[in-house]
Amino acid sequence: MTKLKAAVLISGRGSNMGALARATMDPDFPAEIVLVLSNKPHVEGLALAQEHGIDIRVIDHKEFDDRETHEDAVTEALKEAGAELVCLAGYMRILGEGFVNSWRGRLINIHPSLLPSFRGIKTHERALERGIRIHGCSVHFVTAELDAGPIIAQTAVPVVPGDTAETLSDRILEAEHELYPHALELIASKRVRWSGDSGVADMDVTQNDVAIFPKAD
Ligand code: GRF
C-alpha cells in the first residue's frame, strides 16, 4: 500500500500529534508521518515524536526576520521530508497567505470547537460563558482566514453541569485524539478532498463515518 506522507506542525505538548502517530503505527493505516516540525525548541511534543521514532525538526521563528522567510524555511523542510499533507496540531503561529495558498487542499488543522462557532483562542472559556450545552472539535482545511476553511469532520461533546474550562478541555481533547486520526484517514483514503474552488469539501462518506463522542455503543 502506498501511504500518504504527512508532516505534523506543533508548538508545544503535541498530544494530537501523539494520537496521529499511534494511529499511523497500524500497518493498514493509509498515511505515515514523515516529519514532526516545531517552531519552538525543547517542547514536549518533540520528545514524544522521538519516542515514536519520527524525524523531528525545529525551525525557530525567532531566528528569522519575518514571517515569510520563516515559512519558506518550513516549506523547504516539508519538501525535503517529502510531505504531501501538512497537519497543524497546536501550531501556534498565524500562517501567511503565501504559505497557506501553496499548500491549499493539503493543509489541515484541528480546532477545539464546533466550527464555525468559536473561532480563535480560549474556546472553552467562551463556550462556558455563553452557556452552550454542546461543544466539540473540528478538523478543517486551512485557508488564509483563521479557523474558517472547509470542514472535514467534527465531534460533538456535551457540556456538563459544573464544568470548568479545564474539565471541558480534557473531555474535548479526548475526542480530538479520536477525531484527528479519523480525519487523516478520510483524506488519505481519498474519501474527503478539497479542490480549493468552493467553501465546502468534497465528501464521499456515509453517515457511519460521522464522528460522535461519547460513542453510543
Ligand atoms: C488542541 O486543543 C488543538 O485543538 C488546538 O491546540 C491544542 C493542542 O494540543 N489547536 P496538543 O499540543 O495537541 O496537545
Side-chain angles (χ1 to χ4, degrees):
M1 183 196 353
T2 313
K3 294 187 179 230
L4 181 75
K5 293 184 189 331
V8 187
L9 266 51
I10 62 168
S11 299
R13 180 176 58 181
S15 71
N16 276 292
M17 179 277 301
L20 292 173
R22 284 192 297 281
T24 58
M25 303 228 140
D26 179 341
D28 293 329
F29 196 85
E32 61 181 323
I33 300 179
V34 291
L35 180 69
V36 169
L37 189 154
S38 173
N39 66 310
K40 288 190 181 174
H42 315 301
V43 293
E44 217 179 311
L46 288 168
L48 182 62
Q50 279 181 314
E51 278 170 32
H52 282 96
I54 301 169
D55 286 346
I56 59 165
R57 284 284 296 269
V58 175
I59 302 188
D60 188 344
H61 61 277
K62 290 188 182 147
E63 290 173 7
F64 293 81
D65 291 338
D66 53 32
R67 190 179 303 283
E68 209 180 324
T69 51
H70 175 250
E71 288 175 355
D72 287 348
V74 171
T75 292
E76 206 179 304
L78 293 171
K79 288 195 172 152
E80 261 171 38
E84 299 165 301
L85 179 81
V86 179
C87 307
L88 306 180
Y91 187 67
M92 300 303 284
R93 296 274 301 163
I94 303 265
L95 293 166
E97 218 165 308
F99 183 89
V100 169
N101 289 340
S102 70
W103 289 96
R104 202 172 172 83
R106 299 178 299 142
L107 177 60
I108 65 175
N109 180 44
I110 186 155
H111 181 76
S113 79
L114 286 176
L115 291 170
S117 293
F118 304 111
R119 292 174 181 166
I121 58 170
K122 296 202 182 298
T123 58
H124 308 313
E125 286 86 341
R126 289 187 285 137
L128 290 172
E129 277 165 19
R130 292 298 298 267
I132 61 166
R133 307 264 51 96
I134 302 288
H135 194 25
C137 46
S138 309
V139 178
H140 63 96
F141 288 104
V142 175
T143 59
E145 196 183 340
L146 185 70
D147 301 327
I151 290 163
I152 298 161
Q154 295 184 296
T155 306
V157 178
V159 179
V160 303
D163 258 342
T164 61
E166 199 185 356
T167 58
L168 186 55
S169 163
D170 289 348
R171 190 175 312 116
I172 288 173
L173 195 62
E174 205 181 317
E176 290 181 37
H177 294 167
E178 291 193 30
L179 183 68
Y180 214 173
H182 174 67
L184 177 57
E185 188 174 10
L186 290 179
I187 292 176
S189 59
K190 299 189 169 49
R191 283 183 290 160
V192 175
R193 72 199 72 80
W194 179 48
S195 60
D197 297 335
S198 84
V200 291
D202 303 319
M203 304 258 172
D204 180 17
V205 295
T206 66
Q207 189 60 28
N208 291 337
D209 290 324
V210 176
I212 301 168
F213 187 88
K215 295 248 163 63
D217 54 19

